Amino acid sequence: MPIGFKIHPRTRTVDAAIVEKFKAIAVANISDSMSRMVHGGPRLRPMHAGGVLCGVALTVKARPGDNLMVHAALNRVKPGDVIVVDAGGDLTNAILGELMLSHAQQVGCAGVIVNGAVRDFGWIKANSFPVFAAGVTHRGPYKSGPGEVNCTIAIDGMVIEPGDLIVGDDDGFVCVPYDLTEKVFAAADKKQQGEAKTMVAIKAGTVDRSWVERELEKAGCEGL
């Protein structure tokens, strides 16, 4: 039996109610609430027309330039899943395009993230189905494997386990580990509410920026 060529079972998934709560939280606030230590990489940008990505990770480890295991994941995707593909960040061959993305959308997939390239960019940017990728190329993929489905992957150091929560917006995407979703939501929601109050003060011209001067003084800045 070949090593690195396997479809694993997914043993846990974030609850749908938790996914729904996170849809209203900005990725930046989630990231800040996780000590700014996790990031999906600055290269992976939203390619679609706009809208929030939020769902449960269905992970794929693919050989760069090959999408056989992405097809395997498509056959196993459940409504609300986000297919997260680590294709090594290679941009030589597109991992998927309009046909596969249309099928993913049809079966209820919440979105697709590819650490690699996509094609049919015209279709992607004209539609709201969430697609994040590192680049675009017209050259198509091979379909011979190997690879794995529902395995641990890492994108720019951010570890993603099957069943983790994935949230994406115009700033990029982030993974919230399964065991931390409630704790992270509480912190991110509190931060977002605080920012909303600050915005009200900004518009009213009453925002308090005295903290800046206190920090400068604490740091020993001259010329105050």
Side-chain angles (χ1 to χ4, degrees), residues 11-12 15 35 58 73 77 87-88 97 110 123-124 126 136 139-140 146 171 222-223:
T11 59
R12 62 184 191 178
D15 187 77
S35 299
L58 173 58
V77 71
W123 183 91
I124 295 171
V136 177
R139 287 174 48 155
D171 285 338
E222 296 183 13

Side-chain angles (χ1 to χ4, degrees), residues 7 12 18 21 54 79 86 91 128 137 153 183 195 209:
I7 297 172
R12 62 184 191 178
I18 294 175
K21 289 196 302 184
C54 195
D86 177 13
L91 304 181
S128 60
T137 181
I153 62 174
K183 184 176 182 179
E195 289 193 349
R209 295 189 53 78

Side-chain angles (χ1 to χ4, degrees), residues 8 20 33 41 53 71 83 157 160 173 175 180 184 188 205 213 221:
H8 303 268
E20 195 62 33
S33 299
L53 166 67
H71 278 284
I83 298 176
I160 304 171
F173 78 96
C175 172
L180 294 178
V184 171
E213 304 306 313
C221 179

